[in-house]
Amino acid sequence: MVLDTAVLVASLRSAAGASRQLVAAALQKRFQLLLSVPLLMEYEAVLTRKEHLKAAGLDAADVVELIETLVNVAEPVVPRFRWRPLLRDPNDDMVFEAALNGWADLLVTFNKRDFAQVAYGNLRVASPGEALRRLEESYEKK
């Protein structure tokens, strides 16, 4: 799975949502999180914005620690092919590239419509709630 930056933002701002549960599941290695360097840089740049830190009651060091922990459990994605420009939002291109180059099954985002045109191979686009349901269903089958 690749998590769009907004999913991480939501996970920090709300303890009760599907986004927080997905991040927790990634940290527990319940699924393989895929991360690229550009995506990590975006995570840090966005998550350390003052408005997000204030809303989450965190400081930048807390966010950096979370990102480092995600790096430790994630599978690194080395982009072998650039797909840019492809989408309306250039930041979405980097998320899509991480998913495609990492052979992700799922790209998790709140902006499903923005990614609708890029379904490719086994890659599917899902909201955090849909991704969490899929994850829970896969564990029920085991």
Side-chain angles (χ1 to χ4, degrees):
M1 259 187 237
V2 172
L3 304 179
D4 193 3
T5 307
V7 174
L8 253 20
V9 170
S11 78
L12 293 181
R13 295 178 75 130
S14 172
S19 296
R20 174 73 65 96
Q21 292 178 51
L22 280 175
V23 170
L27 294 171
Q28 297 164 0
K29 296 185 177 184
R30 290 181 53 210
F31 68 89
Q32 184 61 69
L33 177 65
L34 301 170
L35 292 174
S36 67
V37 171
L39 192 53
L40 283 169
M41 291 173 63
E42 163 140 311
Y43 283 177
E44 185 172 0
V46 172
L47 294 174
T48 56
R49 290 180 186 162
K50 290 179 184 177
E51 66 268 20
H52 298 313
L53 293 173
K54 183 177 179 182
L58 300 172
D59 61 30
D62 296 324
V63 170
V64 169
E65 184 178 338
L66 171 63
I67 291 171
E68 288 174 355
T69 305
L70 288 171
V71 167
N72 288 330
V73 300
E75 178 73 28
V77 173
V78 178
R80 297 193 185 346
F81 189 81
R82 292 183 58 111
W83 294 82
R84 302 177 194 199
L86 182 64
L87 303 171
R88 289 183 311 163
D89 181 349
N91 291 326
D92 288 344
D93 283 337
M94 116 178 56
V95 177
F96 175 67
E97 283 179 350
L100 210 56
N101 282 293
W103 295 93
D105 296 316
L106 212 53
L107 187 157
V108 184
T109 183
F110 290 105
N111 302 316
K112 286 176 58 176
R113 187 176 33 166
D114 291 349
F115 288 96
Q117 71 190 53
V118 296
Y120 187 86
N122 289 334
L123 178 62
R124 298 292 173 253
V125 178
S127 69
E130 293 166 340
L132 187 61
R133 280 190 294 281
R134 283 185 180 200
L135 184 62
E136 290 169 350
E137 288 169 2
S138 72
Y139 268 85
E140 288 173 4
K141 291 178 182 177
K142 291 182 180 181

